[in-house]
Amino acid sequence: MSEKNREGKRTARERLAVEREKQKAADRRRRTLIVGASVVGVLGLAAVIGVVAANAGKDKQKAAGPAVAPSGAQGKDSLAIPVGKDGARPTLTIWEDFRCPACMAFETAYRPTLHQLTDSGQMRIEYHLVRLIDGNLGGTGSLRAGNAAACAQDAGKFRAYHDVLYANQPKETDDAFGDNGRLIDLAGKVKGLDTAAFRSCVDNGKHDSWVDKSNAAFKAARFSGTPTVLLDGKNIYQDQTMTPAKLKQLVRQANKG
């Protein structure tokens, strides 16, 4: 074999060895990048989990405040706001959400009858405030309005403010009641309600945890929706033949019995 051929083969072997070393180096760099990316991914996931956990902790901390019932609240865990004379029978129990269109429809149709029956001592009402629409559509309008209504109860103005809220209810998808300023403005429609004490109660969310507790009780009872209207425990809202006149008749019968 000529010297020239031997030199050519040696050069080819050297080039091949160099290429192999380059390939090995590239493989080492790729493995390093993969491992590094994996570590970063794990750390990133841990960071996200940490943020979620921290935020969840904040939410729990905010919701974990004491449930401060409004003045005069009655029933189990003081979750009912009574309207009417103590001792009056029968009792109408209403679970409602101030953002709920069906609740407004019920109030519009039955309000004169409810006022008449409670004012005459023939019936008492126990209102329970929930926040289903907040959960279904987002926002805080149900909670904020519920808290404001409880603040009105502290001032002895619950029924009047309750009626004002429904008379000014925004569209279901409009979270206007999530604005405390709006709720305070509406208090101006109730004589004597717009006070420093009421404003502070609304702005500070004094009864927020109480509304949440009432909402939890509603879910635990597995009611189908709002409004839920019970006359001495019987769901009369599901009665398709129910009218204000029929309600009056049922109340008269209960008082005779």
Side-chain angles (χ1 to χ4, degrees):
M1 181 181 295
S2 67
E3 184 66 26
K4 184 177 180 180
N5 287 339
R6 283 198 295 271
E7 181 65 25
K9 288 183 178 181
R10 185 168 57 249
T11 302
R13 286 197 298 271
E14 289 175 352
R15 285 200 301 269
L16 181 61
V18 169
E19 290 299 323
R20 286 175 178 173
E21 286 300 320
K22 287 182 179 179
Q23 186 62 43
K24 289 180 181 180
D27 289 342
R28 285 194 297 270
R29 286 195 299 272
R30 185 167 58 253
R31 285 195 298 271
T32 301
L33 288 174
I34 292 174
V35 172
S38 299
V39 172
V40 170
V42 171
L43 292 177
L45 178 60
V48 170
I49 293 173
V51 170
V52 171
N55 289 336
K58 290 178 183 177
D59 291 341
K60 290 180 179 179
Q61 184 177 6
K62 182 178 180 180
V68 180
S71 176
Q74 298 178 359
K76 183 180 179 181
D77 296 328
S78 297
L79 295 179
I81 294 180
V83 171
K85 298 178 181 178
D86 287 339
R89 53 187 301 268
T91 298
L92 191 71
T93 303
I94 301 177
W95 296 80
E96 62 181 4
D97 183 328
F98 287 111
R99 287 181 69 186
C100 166
C103 296
M104 182 181 70
F106 173 80
E107 283 294 325
T108 300
Y110 283 83
R111 183 181 298 125
T113 300
L114 300 183
H115 285 191
Q116 179 187 350
L117 293 174
T118 53
D119 290 345
S120 63
Q122 298 179 66
M123 182 184 76
R124 71 191 300 271
I125 303 175
E126 291 184 348
Y127 286 98
H128 295 259
L129 311 181
V130 301
R131 52 176 311 195
L132 296 187
I133 306 300
D134 286 355
N136 293 338
L137 297 180
T140 59
S142 302
L143 174 64
R144 301 262 49 81
N147 172 68
C151 294
Q153 170 67 11
D154 288 340
K157 307 283 186 180
F158 172 79
R159 190 174 83 170
Y161 187 64
H162 168 277
D163 293 351
V164 165
L165 287 176
Y166 279 118
N168 294 272
Q169 184 190 71
K171 292 181 180 180
E172 186 179 14
T173 54
D174 182 356
D175 194 35
F177 281 170
D179 178 6
N180 286 338
R182 173 62 174 157
L183 297 170
I184 291 172
D185 286 343
L186 289 174
K189 296 179 179 292
V190 179
K191 185 178 180 180
L193 179 57
D194 187 4
T195 63
F198 176 80
R199 288 170 174 257
S200 175
C201 182
V202 171
D203 284 333
N204 294 331
K206 179 179 178 180
H207 301 296
D208 281 359
S209 292
W210 176 82
V211 175
D212 281 336
K213 190 172 183 179
S214 180
N215 192 65
F218 178 85
K219 290 181 178 180
R222 297 188 176 182
F223 293 124
S224 59
T226 54
T228 292
V229 185
L230 312 172
L231 184 64
D232 282 344
K234 181 180 180 180
N235 193 329
I236 64 170
Y237 188 73
Q238 293 179 340
D239 182 353
Q240 299 297 317
T241 67
M242 185 58 58
T243 63
K246 186 173 182 179
L247 175 59
K248 288 182 180 180
Q249 182 182 359
L250 291 175
V251 170
R252 283 196 298 268
Q253 291 173 354
N255 278 294
K256 289 179 180 177

